[in-house]
Amino acid sequence: MSIREYTGDSPLQIGLLGFGTVGKAAEQMLEENRDWIERRAGGPLAIKRILVRHPGKHRDDARRLTVDPFEVLDDPDIRIVVEVMGGMDPARHYILEALRRGKTVITANKEVMSSCGQEIFRAGDVGRADIFFEASVCGGIPIIYALKESLAANRIRSLIGIVNGTTNYILSKMTHEGWDFAPALEDAQAKGYAEADPSADVEGHDAARKLAILASIAFGSRVTPNQVYTEGIERVTARDIQYARELGWSVKLLAIAKEGDEGLEVRVHPTFLPQDHPLAAVSDAFNAIYVDAEPLGEAMFYGRGAGGKPTASAILGDVVAAARNLRSGGRAVSCTCHRELSCRHMSEVSTGYYLRLAVFDRPGVLARVAQALGDQGVSLTSVLQKLTQGDQAELVLITHRAREKDVQAAVAELRQLAVVTGILNLIRIEGVV
Ligand code: NAP
Ligand code: HSE
C-alpha cells in the first residue's frame, strides 16, 4: 500500500520531532480533546514516536522516545511528521527526508519555511506529500490559511503586523507598567513566548522570518528574510516611549509589507503608530495582522501568537486537515508564488521619522539642525525642546514623509555639527503624510 492510499480505521500514526514547549502542549491538547479532534479528523490518531535530544529529562513512556530521527522517518506506519524542534539544521533535513518519503509534514519552524520554502515545497511535490505550517506564523491566529485560501481572490495592497509576542510583551510592560527591558524579557521567557535564543525576538529576526512567509503568500512572490530590512527593539528607551505617548503615538515592533509600482517594501522595525490605529491596542503577547486588500478593504486578524497552547491549536488544526487529506486522498495547496517581484532597498522607502538629539542649548542651534535636514529635502512637522542638564538640551524632531536615504544623509550631516552632541534615536512613524 502506498503511503498516500491510507484508508484504514486503525489509528493514523504521528511522529513528533521535538517535545519542548510546543510539542508537549500539542500532545496535551490531543489527550484532553481526543474525542472531539478525532471526530473532526475522521478517525483515531496516535503519537507513535517522539524524537528528543535528552530523553532522560522527559517524564514520558520511554518506548516512545528516541534520539534516532530515522526511527520516525523510516517507520512506514508513521504518516504524519510534526516538526517542533526548531532551528535550521537538522530540522530542515528531517523535513525534506519526511516529504521525500511521502509523509505529510506539519511544522512550526519559521526559520526553515522562510529561508527554504521553495526547496521544501519542491520536495513535497516530488514525494506527493502535503506540508502545513500554520504554527510558524503568529501561533494560534489562522493567518496562513486566511491568506492562502480565504483571501486568494483579493489583491493585497499592504499587510502590517505585530508578529512577535515577546517584543510586544516587552514594549507593553515598558509602556503601561514602567518596567525595564530586562525583567520584561525574563518574564516573557518564563511564560514560554521567547525563542530558545531570545536575540532572534529582540533583534527582529523572528518577525522578519514571519514577515517573509506572510509576504510571499500575500503577494504571490517569494520573499526571504535577507530581503527584509530588520531592526530590533534594543535601542527603544523609556524616554522614547514617553515622548511617543505625549505626541499621541504607541511604540510597536511592526512587520510591514506593501506592494507599490516599484516592487515590494518589506521591513521590520520599531515604529510610532497613531494611538487610534487598531494595531496600537494590541498589547502583551498578543499578535495581530492588519491587511488592506482589494476589494475586501481593511481586515484585522488578532489573537495569541506565542506560547504552547496557541501554537498547539495551529498544529492540531493542521493535523486534522492532514488526516482528512490522507483519508480522502486529497492534497493541500503547495507553493502559491506565481510571479517574481523585486524588493525595494530600504534607502528608497519613504515614511515619517522621529529623531531625538542631544544638543547645546544655545541660540541658533535649532536653525542649524533644521538647515541640515532641509539641505536633504527633509521637512519638519514639529519640534519639541526638553531641557536636560546644564547647557545640554534634548531636541525631538518629527518629519513629514521623507525618503530614508535623505534622512540618513541628514543624520550624517547632524553628526558633524559641533552643536549636536548625540543622535539619541531615530524611529520611523507609520501613517504620516
Ligand atoms: P523548545 O521548547 O526549545 O523544544 C525543542 C524540542 O526539540 C526539545 O524537546 C528538544 O529536545 C528537541 N530538539 C531540539 N533540537 C534537537 C535535535 N537536534 N535532535 C533531537 N531533538 C531536538 O522549542 P519550542 O518553543 O517548543 O519551539 C519549537 C518550534 O516551534 C520552533 O521552531 C519555534 O520557533 C516554534 N514556535 C514556538 C512557539 C513558542 O511560543 N514557543 C510559537 C510558535 C512557533 P530536548 O527536550 O531533549 O532538549
Ligand atoms: N518567540 C516567538 C514570539 C514565538 O515571541 O512571538 C512565536 O513564534
Side-chain angles (χ1 to χ4, degrees), residues 247-250 273-281 290 298 300 430-431:
L247 292 161
W249 285 304
S250 289
L273 186 72
Q275 276 165 2
D276 59 0
H277 191 287
L279 286 171
Y290 185 81
E298 291 158 34
M300 190 159 104
E430 188 62 24

Side-chain angles (χ1 to χ4, degrees), residues 16 18-27 82 84 108 135 307-309 311-312 315:
L16 282 188
F19 202 39
T21 304
V22 178
K24 285 200 164 83
E27 161 162 84
V82 177
V84 280
K309 285 186 180 179
T311 313
I315 294 279

Side-chain angles (χ1 to χ4, degrees), residues 146-208:
L147 292 174
K148 268 198 173 187
E149 312 265 357
S150 319
L151 300 181
N154 280 261
R155 297 286 297 242
I156 309 284
R157 284 187 285 248
S158 66
L159 176 153
I160 305 181
I162 294 173
V163 297
N164 182 266
T166 302
T167 46
N168 203 46
Y169 188 81
I170 293 171
L171 290 174
S172 297
K173 291 293 172 201
M174 288 172 76
T175 303
H176 303 299
E177 321 277 346
W179 286 23
D180 284 329
F181 177 90
L185 171 61
E186 257 174 51
D187 204 37
Q189 285 177 294
K191 290 189 159 78
Y193 304 147
E195 297 299 308
D197 173 5
S199 59
D201 296 298
V202 171
E203 294 170 8
H205 303 300
D206 178 80

Side-chain angles (χ1 to χ4, degrees), residues 43 50 92 177 182 210 233 253 303 310 326 346 356:
I50 303 172
R92 171 186 145 277
E177 321 277 346
K210 291 170 180 165
I233 63 164
L253 182 73
L326 286 169
M346 187 62 191
R356 183 159 65 89

